[in-house]
Amino acid sequence: VALLFYSSVLSGEAWVRALRAESPELDIRLLPDIGDPDEIDCVLSWRPPPGTFARLKNLRLVYGTGAGVDQLLADPELPPDVPIVRVVDDAQTDDMVAFVLAIVLGWHRKLDVIRAQQAAKLWSRPPFRSVRDVRVGVMGLGALGRATAERLAMVGFDVAGWNRSPRDIPGVEVHHGPDGLGAFLARTECLIVLLPLTDATRDILNADLFARLPPGAYLVSVGRGPHLVEADLLRALDQGQLSGATLDVFREEPLPQDHLFWTHPKITVTPHVASLASPESVAKQIVENLRRLYAGEPLLNQIDRVAGY
Ligand SMILES: NC(=O)c1ccc[n+]([C@@H]2O[C@H](COP(=O)([O-])OP(=O)(O)OC[C@H]3O[C@@H](n4cnc5c(N)ncnc54)[C@H](OP(=O)(O)O)[C@@H]3O)[C@@H](O)[C@H]2O)c1
């Protein structure tokens, strides 16, 4: 098996180390010396540089190094019939949950206000609300969203979720489909977005959606940047329809230096750090999927190319 690591943004060394530790016999190729392209069976990639796939005539598997595959599917040269697999990883899920908890708890307990008060040596208690009275909502109840909703509920928040298909999650009020969106939004004071980026979810965070949230709601966007209509967010913040937002993902990454979000007083910018699949944690499932590929067995975490996730 020859596996090519190909990314325009990630260095491959940690992946090579982790994969070699898991499977010493694996033939791993790295740019610029990929050897004979006809020998490459599998590409492991994040944001492949243009022209990647056109050179690989015998490709049998494309492996994304993260949970989202939108950057792979956007490649016009992606061969139509090759299976695409993504990462689903418990450690990555734990990290996403921890990140969202940090943001939601900081928002709920007004840590930014308290820090500003400390700077002014001001002893003043913000209005108190019990965690049990605070209604948070998670859009997208997949591997990451479901765990996030469950653990927000464990902390004590009043949690709802919204998903394409129904879900049964103890302690979480689940809404689904376009018909369920209105009721979900109407009760959600803090909206956490963990949807994949697809044609159906692009631009979903827009003026119409913000207007259906309770006035003063807070947004935590951790799925993908193109979910958000940026001008609509700025207007909703100016008008007080939203009280603030933490954004981890952006239409253009890195966020351009002159972007308004950097200095907006109601926006917290985090540089796509919510969670990252670590090579050490993921190498085992890659090797297992290569074994399955050659044994003709069903692959783990294969995405549905029509649905786009
Ligand atoms: N910021 C970061 O650091 C970071 C890190 C990792 C991942 N992410 C993002 O997080 C996303 C979610 O990851 P995941 O592993 O949880 O994905 P996943 O397991 O594929 O889950 C996606 C969920 O979204 C639901 N969904 C899809 N389209 C929908 C629609 N149109 N309306 C309502 N619900 C819809 C799906 O519902 P059904 O199952 O019913 O179809 C599914 O439950 C990734 O795609 C990636 O973009 C961000």
Side-chain angles (χ1 to χ4, degrees):
V1 175
L3 175 143
L4 171 64
F5 180 88
Y6 223 41
S7 170
S8 54
V9 286
L10 293 180
S11 138
E13 279 143 38
W15 288 94
V16 173
R17 249 193 330 272
L19 285 165
R20 289 240 162 88
E22 194 58 39
S23 174
E25 69 277 12
L26 198 60
D27 172 5
I28 308 173
R29 317 267 175 101
L30 274 178
L31 292 175
D33 185 16
I34 72 165
D36 179 356
D38 289 349
E39 291 171 2
I40 308 284
D41 303 283
C42 171
V43 163
L44 176 64
S45 187
W46 175 263
R47 290 190 201 285
T52 302
F53 296 113
R55 303 167 65 190
L56 308 173
K57 303 284 181 254
N58 296 320
L59 202 57
R60 297 188 56 184
L61 179 65
V62 174
Y63 219 118
T65 58
V69 288
D70 45 285
Q71 31 84 33
L72 288 171
L73 294 176
D75 190 319
E77 292 168 356
L78 191 67
D81 302 322
V82 172
I84 299 171
V85 163
R86 71 190 189 101
V87 165
V88 178
D89 177 56
D90 287 347
Q92 183 183 31
T93 302
D94 287 347
D95 290 330
M96 176 58 78
V97 171
F99 179 85
V100 173
L101 281 173
I103 302 300
V104 174
L105 289 167
W107 160 78
H108 165 52
R109 297 313 298 254
K110 301 192 183 335
L111 294 185
D112 55 340
V113 173
I114 288 174
R115 277 194 202 103
Q117 288 180 175
Q118 180 181 349
K121 299 185 179 174
L122 177 65
W123 183 277
S124 167
R125 290 180 170 146
F128 177 79
R129 285 179 73 198
S130 166
V131 70
R132 295 182 178 194
D133 297 330
V134 178
R135 298 186 309 271
V136 303
V138 181
M139 291 180 93
L141 299 173
L144 301 176
R146 180 188 178 114
T148 301
E150 283 171 342
R151 289 194 235 167
L152 284 162
M154 283 168 70
V155 171
F157 287 104
D158 182 353
V159 183
W162 180 72
N163 200 54
R164 195 184 56 78
S165 56
R167 286 279 185 286
D168 186 11
I169 308 180
V172 177
E173 174 189 315
V174 177
H175 303 257
H176 72 276
D179 293 345
L181 184 60
F184 165 78
L185 293 172
R187 51 84 69 210
T188 292
E189 300 170 79
C190 179
L191 178 67
I192 297 137
V193 184
L194 271 167
L195 290 164
L197 179 63
T198 66
D199 291 344
T201 64
R202 186 179 300 277
D203 297 334
I204 194 168
L205 301 176
N206 57 34
D208 173 58
L209 181 141
F210 297 146
R212 297 161 85 183
L213 291 164
Y218 193 85
L219 172 67
V220 182
S221 174
V222 273
R224 282 289 180 266
H227 288 145
L228 176 65
V229 180
E230 297 185 345
D232 288 5
L233 171 66
L234 292 170
R235 211 169 300 115
L237 291 169
D238 287 349
Q239 293 168 349
Q241 177 56 25
L242 293 184
S243 58
T246 290
L247 310 175
D248 187 53
V249 286
F250 302 89
R251 285 188 175 258
E252 188 181 346
E253 296 181 7
L255 189 65
Q257 285 294 306
D258 58 355
H259 201 289
L260 292 173
F261 287 172
W262 280 117
T263 49
H264 197 291
K266 295 181 180 172
I267 293 178
T268 299
V269 170
T270 59
H272 202 144
V273 290
S275 77
L276 196 66
S278 94
E280 293 72 27
S281 177
V282 170
K284 204 182 200 61
Q285 61 183 266
I286 295 176
V287 171
E288 167 61 12
N289 254 339
L290 291 171
R291 188 198 64 73
R292 286 170 176 245
L293 180 75
Y294 286 91
E297 295 172 18
L299 299 169
L300 303 170
N301 307 320
Q302 181 172 351
I303 65 121
D304 173 345
R305 286 185 68 158
V306 177
Y309 62 98

